[in-house]
Amino acid sequence: MKEKLQEIRAEALDLLKECKDKNELDALRVRYLGKKGELTALLRGMGALSPEERPKMGAMVNEVRGLIEKALEEKLHALEAEELSRRLAEEQLDVTVPGVQNRLGKKHPLSTVLDEIKDIFLGMGFQIATGPEVELDHYNFEALNMPKNHPARDTQDTFYITENILLRTQTSPMQVRVMEKQKPPIKIIAPGRVYRSDEVDATHSPLFHQVEGLVVDKGIRMSDLKGTLELFAKRLYGEEAVVRFRPHHFSFTEPSAEMDIRCFSCGGKGCRLCKGEGWIEILGAGMVHPKVLEGCGIDPEVYSGFAFGLGLERIVMRRFNIDDLRLFFENDLRFLEQF
Ligand code: PHE
């Protein structure tokens, strides 16, 4: 029994010396001192000893127990000290290391100019309306005086989802949606995405942005259209901006026009920016067609209105001298960070 005790003692102290972490240490504590541990087992075996030997043996077991307990305690302190110094070394903070620069987000150029446009119209008393990009044929075409088989539909390269559902090719369906819900006076702009199945190149993208405008009230005339849009152009491009209106055709306005701005690069002489024209087209517009008003339950004998639609990308490209439309949608930071 004595030998067994010496064996346990030697083995326990050896194992403790090699022990590398607290888990191992706990396992050793259980193994030697626990209720089912080796020393307890030894004590239980003492019944077989003679009454004289028993207390001696008991004292010896207790001595070894004490030794192991002390060694455990010391090892625990040693392990904790080790851990502390390791953590201190790991967590050392070098305040001289240069900081990591967080890259700041920037406004997309399309958003910058759209926000300016919104501000200009809000300042003139317009409200902002929004509506669905997945649209009914009815709103995108039919209610805009473009029945099925109307030739103007072919020019719009429409993405159809079903026969009657499509991706809106223009923001003009918002005219109808607003007039159906709201009675005059109406004075809104409706900015948003529009879709046409164009091949992607420097000037075409299947997704682009328009800003629609609509004013309906009693006594709205062509001169209101011209005054409003000229004021808009001057606010956007500066007081010296010059505009002109050219007759045009849209099925949902009558009369219709396109507005050009005199090229701000060459002053009208003709250059690369305006492709030698001296003028740059920036929007389509016109007086709301009586049929469209009527279809929305607005009496064209009492009310009249004007509408316009501008293409955002073109305006932004000229503003920042961007020659490729694809740059807007590729999200290349080297491009975006320039703004
Ligand atoms: N929706 C027309 C287009 O996409 C523009 C427009 C809007 C014309 C409103 C007149 C009135 O070309």
Side-chain angles (χ1 to χ4, degrees):
M1 211 166 177
K2 251 191 215 160
E3 275 139 43
K4 179 74 185 149
L5 187 62
Q6 292 315 318
E7 235 172 69
I8 292 178
R9 173 191 138 136
E11 193 189 47
L13 294 181
D14 265 359
L15 287 176
L16 268 172
K17 222 177 269 164
E18 278 158 35
C19 164
K20 283 189 207 62
D21 63 45
K22 283 189 184 173
N23 286 340
E24 262 179 56
L25 197 65
D26 277 339
L28 287 176
R29 186 192 310 281
V30 172
R31 173 165 166 194
Y32 289 105
L33 307 179
K35 274 203 190 108
K36 293 182 183 154
E38 295 193 16
L39 281 181
T40 321
L42 213 57
L43 282 173
R44 251 186 235 123
M46 272 181 17
L49 295 177
S50 65
E52 305 88 71
E53 272 182 313
R54 243 178 262 165
K56 274 199 228 151
M57 195 58 206
M60 277 165 75
V61 171
N62 278 336
E63 192 198 321
V64 171
R65 167 181 282 274
L67 262 173
I68 295 178
E69 268 171 1
K70 196 166 155 245
L72 272 166
E73 201 58 32
E74 280 168 6
K75 190 69 189 180
L76 182 65
H77 286 314
L79 284 175
E80 278 172 349
E82 238 173 67
E83 193 180 302
L84 181 65
S85 52
R86 180 162 15 93
R87 280 220 340 245
L88 285 174
E90 262 172 24
E91 292 173 10
Q92 210 174 51
L93 186 64
D94 180 353
V95 292
T96 65
V97 171
V100 180
Q101 191 102 50
N102 277 327
R103 289 171 105 171
L104 265 191
K106 291 196 182 175
K107 236 191 206 175
H108 194 283
L110 288 175
S111 303
T112 304
V113 176
L114 179 58
D115 286 349
E116 278 179 35
I117 293 173
K118 284 183 189 167
D119 274 348
I120 294 171
F121 283 109
L122 286 171
M124 294 196 243
F126 283 71
Q127 289 182 317
I128 294 175
T130 53
E133 291 168 26
V134 177
E135 185 56 283
L136 293 171
D137 181 286
H138 171 78
Y139 288 106
N140 197 80
F141 291 128
E142 203 87 19
L144 291 170
N145 199 23
M146 267 184 270
K148 292 232 154 63
N149 302 320
H150 191 285
R153 284 187 174 215
D154 301 341
T155 64
Q156 303 231 343
D157 303 308
T158 312
F159 285 117
Y160 280 96
I161 293 169
T162 68
E163 206 183 309
N164 289 315
I165 301 175
L166 44 75
L167 295 182
R168 65 181 181 191
T169 60
Q170 48 186 355
T171 43
S172 299
M174 284 307 295
Q175 293 183 32
V176 183
R177 284 187 174 273
V178 169
M179 285 191 282
E180 272 183 358
K181 274 219 298 276
Q182 199 181 318
K183 291 303 141 210
I186 292 170
K187 211 172 168 186
I188 59 104
I189 58 165
R193 298 190 189 104
V194 299
Y195 302 84
R196 291 186 197 180
S197 102
D198 281 325
E199 286 295 332
V200 175
D201 64 25
T203 55
H204 293 87
S205 159
L207 178 162
F208 56 103
H209 298 77
Q210 289 187 339
V211 180
E212 194 78 8
L214 174 70
V215 174
V216 184
D217 203 349
K218 287 179 182 155
I220 298 291
R221 296 169 304 183
M222 190 80 182
S223 52
D224 296 307
L225 179 160
K226 291 181 75 177
T228 304
L229 293 177
E230 184 172 357
L231 185 59
F232 161 69
K234 286 185 185 295
R235 295 259 160 93
L236 189 66
Y237 290 104
E239 267 320 299
E240 56 298 339
V242 179
V243 298
R244 74 172 184 193
F245 291 83
R246 276 179 295 106
H248 200 73
H249 175 266
F250 299 105
S251 63
F252 41 94
T253 49
E254 180 57 35
S256 304
E258 278 188 333
M259 184 174 90
D260 301 335
I261 173 160
R262 189 150 76 199
C263 181
F264 39 79
S265 178
C266 62
K269 284 199 253 355
C271 67
R272 217 175 65 98
L273 189 72
C274 57
K275 301 203 183 78
E277 300 272 334
W279 295 87
I280 296 167
E281 182 228 313
I282 64 167
L283 56 81
M287 301 307 290
V288 182
H289 199 293
K291 268 195 180 170
V292 176
L293 290 173
E294 214 165 8
C296 299
I298 295 175
D299 185 351
E301 298 294 331
V302 181
Y303 293 103
S304 54
F306 71 82
F308 58 90
L310 60 85
L312 185 61
E313 277 78 1
R314 287 231 221 137
I315 290 179
V316 181
M317 283 170 85
R318 290 199 196 95
R319 159 79 68 91
F320 296 117
N321 232 325
I322 296 164
D323 59 7
D324 195 325
L325 186 63
R326 286 167 287 200
L327 290 166
F328 287 138
F329 305 111
E330 282 167 352
N331 285 333
D332 185 335
L333 284 177
R334 290 169 301 181
F335 170 73
L336 295 175
E337 280 177 343
Q338 297 176 43
F339 299 95

